[in-house]
Amino acid sequence: MTKKKKSGKTENLVPALRGHIWIDGSKGTFLGYGRVVLLERIREYGSITKAAKALEISYRRAWVLIDSMNRQVPRPYVVTSAGGRRGGGTSVTPEGERAVALFWKIHENLQQFIKKQDAAVRSLYDE
Amino acid sequence: MTKKKKSGKTENLVPALRGHIWIDGSKGTFLGYGRVVLLERIREYGSITKAAKALEISYRRAWVLIDSMNRQVPRPYVVTSAGGRRGGGTSVTPEGERAVALFWKIHENLQQFIKKQDAAVRSLYDE
DNA sequence: TAGCGTAATATACTAAAATGAATAACGCAA
DNA sequence: TTGCGTTATTCATTTTAGTATATTACGCTA
């Protein structure tokens, strides 16, 4: 994802410090990078089926991710409907959008954090 | 307002922000929480076999973790010997110790980071 | 030389996670 | 009423990570 060429900004040096963040609920993780990207695809396509295809994961996988998320959150992050004019669909709720926005914000902060700490890591490996 | 609880120290509130860090090399991850704990057990016991038992992982798993680490690092983090008075053994090199110390330092910083960011997460879920 | 406790390695098995395919329910429209 | 595209759900299969077990090499000691 952070794969840059020769521009000089985000070099892909190795070794490199990496990091992840996610949010745990009482029944396990309910929000992380994968789910957030999935939410954005659902927003884009209005459909779990199409979002799953775009991300090259199975419908079932997408559904499980969404279900485990929706069931741990006070108010659902996506709402679904089956049947109707276009067969049904799925949309992201305002609560979901807030969560997505917050996740990206923290994610961004984490990248800053890692960038800082990475200096110490790199100093381990060059003289 | 933030939720108030009855005990005082490390509350296990949910939802809770979590995070991990690790170091990637050209052939994948070579240092993370698991390997660092393993290094510490090797230091403690002087043996991969015993360290693996203490961590309740298979010898093979421990060996693979160590090997993938050692082979991506300029100078090995552990050195092994087979045969001899006590059958052989494994010890952590100064380079390994430095890496362990640095990892824990960054890990600690990450905990501080998460603690700060977690406030924003929590505010998503209480009124 | 035989015995020991270890590292190193190969192979077969196990368990968990994800996939793929099939099916039913849904609700609108023609 | 039939067709359509979606969600929801089940089940068999595949993939993958890890375990369990066995074997060999090693080097010291008795």
Side-chain angles (χ1 to χ4, degrees):
Chain A
M1 234 249 312
T2 23
K3 198 154 195 189
K4 271 240 172 167
K5 286 290 176 69
K6 32 192 155 186
S7 77
K9 263 256 160 126
T10 317
E11 295 287 339
N12 206 2
L13 297 176
V14 296
L17 185 65
R18 295 278 153 78
H20 270 172
I21 47 156
W22 66 93
I23 306 178
D24 272 359
S26 53
K27 294 164 191 170
T29 299
F30 71 81
L31 201 73
Y33 187 89
R35 282 175 177 89
V36 166
V37 171
L38 178 57
L39 285 172
E40 293 188 325
R41 289 298 172 280
I42 289 173
R43 177 209 292 149
E44 182 179 358
Y45 294 114
S47 152
I48 296 176
T49 300
K50 287 174 185 163
K53 272 178 187 144
L55 295 176
E56 296 184 302
I57 59 177
S58 62
Y59 173 87
R60 188 176 198 287
R61 173 97 185 108
W63 185 88
V64 165
L65 287 173
I66 292 166
D67 184 60
S68 59
M69 176 184 74
N70 254 6
R71 294 180 47 233
Q72 292 193 72
V73 128
R75 306 183 58 191
Y77 282 3
V78 303
V79 288
T80 64
S81 66
R85 172 174 182 69
R86 311 228 300 296
T90 302
S91 60
V92 180
T93 65
E95 289 81 7
E97 294 291 356
R98 283 180 66 200
V100 167
L102 178 59
F103 179 88
W104 284 131
K105 179 61 183 162
I106 299 181
H107 179 82
E108 174 65 25
N109 291 343
L110 179 68
Q111 301 317 309
Q112 297 301 316
F113 171 87
I114 286 176
K115 193 172 178 180
K116 283 199 205 104
Q117 309 284 322
D118 194 36
V121 172
R122 188 137 309 124
S123 75
L124 267 191
Y125 302 104
D126 50 33
E127 0 285 77
Chain B
M1 261 311 197
T2 330
K3 251 189 195 169
K4 269 243 169 158
K5 279 291 176 110
K6 14 192 166 180
S7 107
K9 264 232 153 152
T10 315
E11 297 285 341
N12 205 5
L13 295 177
V14 295
L17 185 65
R18 296 278 154 77
H20 271 172
I21 47 156
W22 66 93
I23 306 179
D24 271 0
S26 52
K27 295 165 190 169
T29 299
F30 71 82
L31 201 74
Y33 187 91
R35 283 175 176 88
V36 166
V37 172
L38 178 57
L39 285 172
E40 293 189 326
R41 289 298 172 279
I42 288 174
R43 177 208 292 149
E44 182 177 358
Y45 295 114
S47 151
I48 297 176
T49 301
K50 287 174 184 162
K53 273 179 187 144
L55 294 175
E56 295 183 302
I57 61 176
S58 63
Y59 173 87
R60 186 175 201 287
R61 173 95 186 110
W63 187 87
V64 165
L65 287 174
I66 291 167
D67 184 60
S68 59
M69 176 184 73
N70 254 7
R71 293 181 47 233
Q72 292 193 73
V73 129
R75 306 182 58 190
Y77 282 4
V78 303
V79 287
T80 64
S81 66
R85 174 173 179 69
R86 297 227 221 27
T90 302
S91 61
V92 180
T93 65
E95 288 82 6
E97 294 291 357
R98 284 180 66 200
V100 167
L102 177 59
F103 180 87
W104 283 132
K105 179 60 183 163
I106 299 181
H107 179 83
E108 174 64 26
N109 291 344
L110 179 68
Q111 302 316 310
Q112 297 300 317
F113 171 86
I114 286 176
K115 193 171 177 180
K116 285 199 205 100
Q117 307 286 322
D118 194 36
V121 172
R122 188 137 308 122
S123 76
L124 267 191
Y125 301 105
D126 53 30
E127 39 274 69

